[in-house]
Amino acid sequence: METRLDHRRSACSNFINKVRSRPAYTQSVAFSHYNNISAQLPIVPDSGILIGGDIKAQARQCLHNIKGIVESIGHTMDDLVKVTLFLQDIGDLDAVNSVYRDFFPHVMPTRTVLAVAALPLGARVQMDALLSNGEGTFPQAPCPLVKLSRSSERAPHDPLSTQSVAFSHYNNIGAQLPLDPASGALVAGGIREQAAQCLSNIKAVLEHIDVPFDDIVKVTIYLTQLADLEAVDEIYRTFFPDSAIARAVAYLPARSVIAASALPLGARVQMDAVISHGDGTPPQLVEDRHNLVIRARNTDKAPRTALSTQSVAFSHYNHIAGQLPIDMSTGKVLTDCVREQTAQCLTHIKAIVESIGHVMDDIVKVNIQLANIEDLAEVDAVYTRYFPDYLPARTVIGVSELPAGARIQMDAVMSNAESTPPLI
């Protein structure tokens, strides 16, 4: 009898075998109507070393690598719905942008940009991506779904990013800076005002496409100072839950908080979001798309946080909140050993995954933040043991700090073959 993993393997094997995988991750993992592409460094595929030259050359190589993966599975760059751009120096953004626009001659995907403390191999730039997958994965029949790219005048415009790109049952919202839509300038005030503006901009994007705020399933907050999180949380609580129905069940989306070394325009905070899209995108049939339920679930076997749900499922995906290496018996970060901290993070993710009837091999993407990028080899020594059959797509960055002095943090995206049921 075929398992959920067997179905995914039969769908993915055609392209996984065509691309060269690095030891600790798979370049591209598809499930249902999305492909998750691992972070691409500016590595020349033939030599396996970083490309020589300036930041433009490195950015171009990252994009060529993404394009090579995309084309190897029968897609084009216009099928991308989101790109995340990690820079060693935010001052390089203009140079990167001059290259970036050449790869998207028609419609821009959504985009998130941040500077980080370090990147693997000492690279100056790294990019990952999310790709629409109109043919779906077996046993879904190929379906020419429409990708809906939309922007609102009520939220800030970026010539290199679309505000919202929907495909199938998800919307991906480009990172929102604390910009006043009317002036295009940073909002006046401090961190609270900036946080409120980010969330107001997300809300404006959603209202423009007639989607309620409580359809958000995952939020990622990027802060230049983690000490600002308490003030951001004060504002965050005023936005979630947003409706009477959500308040009745105390619904909160999954969440990750990431330390950025710098953000565009000198902002102190930036947020992006993943949105459930119950209406789907055409030509999905009415009976396939309406009233799917968001399933938010927690387990006592992993740490709980006041402003985040551990796992939020919608349609064919589960989004798992950022996990720190918290010792469940003490409520504090485990020892200083990065191997033990890595195992603790993965144990929490495994507990969440198993609490909802899944296995670790159902994970399609993992995001890792390290306080010291030099710890990556030690992390990999533990990491690969948690994925016995195949390795998910992955993004790794170095950050300037992590909460509670942790050395590592992880979040994940998981396939959800049973989907979520319609509201009865």
Side-chain angles (χ1 to χ4, degrees):
M1 178 177 169
E2 282 192 307
T3 67
R4 175 169 51 243
L5 179 59
D6 292 327
H7 281 308
R8 184 178 55 219
R9 280 179 179 155
S10 63
C12 298
S13 60
N14 289 337
F15 65 83
I16 287 178
N17 292 329
K18 292 179 183 177
V19 295
R20 181 177 298 173
S21 296
R22 292 182 63 80
Y25 63 85
T26 303
Q27 288 178 343
S28 172
V29 180
F31 190 80
S32 186
H33 288 129
Y34 280 94
N35 266 289
N36 298 266
I37 297 177
S38 289
Q40 294 301 303
L41 290 162
I43 292 174
V44 180
D46 291 339
S47 68
I49 61 174
L50 286 179
I51 191 169
D54 61 8
I55 184 63
K56 289 185 179 181
Q58 289 207 1
R60 189 175 291 109
Q61 188 64 55
C62 290
L63 288 158
H64 275 305
N65 291 346
I66 290 173
K67 187 177 182 184
I69 295 168
V70 166
E71 291 180 347
S72 77
I73 53 180
H75 285 266
T76 69
M77 292 292 275
D78 282 336
D79 291 331
L80 291 180
V81 297
K82 182 177 182 182
V83 173
T84 305
L85 170 57
F86 304 97
L87 294 168
Q88 178 72 61
D89 182 351
I90 200 70
D92 286 337
L93 183 55
D94 285 345
V96 171
N97 284 344
S98 68
V99 173
Y100 184 88
R101 59 171 54 90
D102 294 337
F103 284 79
F104 301 99
H106 302 115
V107 179
M108 291 289 177
T110 65
R111 192 171 78 157
T112 295
V113 176
L114 65 151
V116 297
L119 292 169
L121 304 181
R124 293 174 65 182
V125 61
Q126 174 180 261
M127 303 181 199
D128 67 13
L130 183 64
L131 179 74
S132 60
N133 186 36
E135 62 270 27
T137 52
F138 180 83
Q140 290 167 319
C143 183
L145 295 172
V146 174
K147 187 175 74 170
L148 298 178
S149 300
R150 293 173 287 189
S151 295
S152 165
E153 295 302 324
R154 294 177 54 204
H157 277 248
D158 179 346
L160 295 180
S161 176
T162 303
Q163 289 172 358
S164 167
V165 177
F167 190 79
S168 188
H169 289 130
Y170 277 93
N171 261 290
N172 295 270
I173 304 298
Q176 293 300 307
L177 289 162
L179 301 179
D180 180 334
S183 67
L186 285 177
V187 67
I191 186 62
R192 289 175 176 80
E193 288 77 15
Q194 288 200 14
Q197 190 65 55
C198 292
L199 288 160
S200 294
N201 290 343
I202 291 173
K203 193 168 187 177
V205 172
L206 293 181
E207 289 176 346
H208 174 71
I209 56 177
D210 197 27
V211 173
F213 201 68
D214 284 316
D215 280 356
I216 295 174
V217 296
K218 172 77 186 292
V219 175
T220 304
I221 300 175
Y222 305 91
L223 291 171
T224 57
Q225 299 178 56
L226 284 187
D228 284 338
L229 183 57
E230 185 176 349
V232 170
D233 284 347
E234 290 177 16
I235 303 302
Y236 195 85
R237 289 185 182 91
T238 68
F239 281 80
F240 294 102
D242 186 59
S243 66
I245 293 174
R247 285 192 291 272
V249 295
Y251 172 69
L252 290 162
R255 191 175 84 160
S256 293
V257 177
I258 296 173
S261 296
L263 294 169
L265 304 179
R268 294 171 64 178
V269 60
Q270 174 181 257
M271 303 184 197
D272 63 19
V274 181
I275 318 297
S276 63
H277 187 59
D279 291 341
T281 52
Q284 285 170 320
L285 299 176
V286 172
E287 59 265 28
D288 292 334
R289 68 189 191 186
H290 280 304
N291 298 319
L292 291 173
V293 173
I294 290 176
R295 281 195 161 172
R297 291 176 284 195
N298 289 303
T299 174
D300 290 332
K301 294 182 179 180
R304 295 195 183 206
T305 58
L307 291 177
S308 176
T309 301
Q310 290 170 352
S311 169
V312 179
F314 187 80
S315 187
H316 287 126
Y317 279 94
N318 262 288
H319 296 263
I320 297 175
Q323 297 299 307
L324 289 164
I326 302 295
D327 184 330
M328 292 294 291
S329 64
T330 65
K332 297 179 180 179
V333 168
L334 206 62
T335 71
D336 191 50
C337 173
V338 72
R339 287 195 181 210
E340 291 185 7
Q341 289 199 13
T342 300
Q344 190 68 63
C345 290
L346 287 161
T347 297
H348 293 330
I349 290 174
K350 189 171 189 279
I352 294 166
V353 166
E354 292 178 348
S355 75
I356 51 181
H358 284 261
V359 297
M360 289 291 279
D361 281 326
D362 288 337
I363 291 176
V364 296
K365 176 75 188 293
V366 175
N367 299 301
I368 301 176
Q369 300 90 50
L370 292 171
N372 183 355
I373 202 71
E374 299 301 325
D375 284 340
L376 183 54
E378 294 289 303
V379 169
D380 283 345
V382 177
Y383 180 88
T384 52
R385 297 204 298 265
Y386 280 77
F387 299 98
D389 292 313
Y390 95 107
L391 291 160
R394 193 173 79 165
T395 294
V396 178
I397 59 173
V399 294
S400 56
E401 58 178 330
L402 287 166
R407 295 177 67 174
I408 187 169
Q409 177 177 250
M410 300 184 193
D411 65 20
V413 181
M414 185 176 73
S415 61
N416 185 39
E418 65 271 28
S419 187
T420 50
L423 187 63
I424 297 176

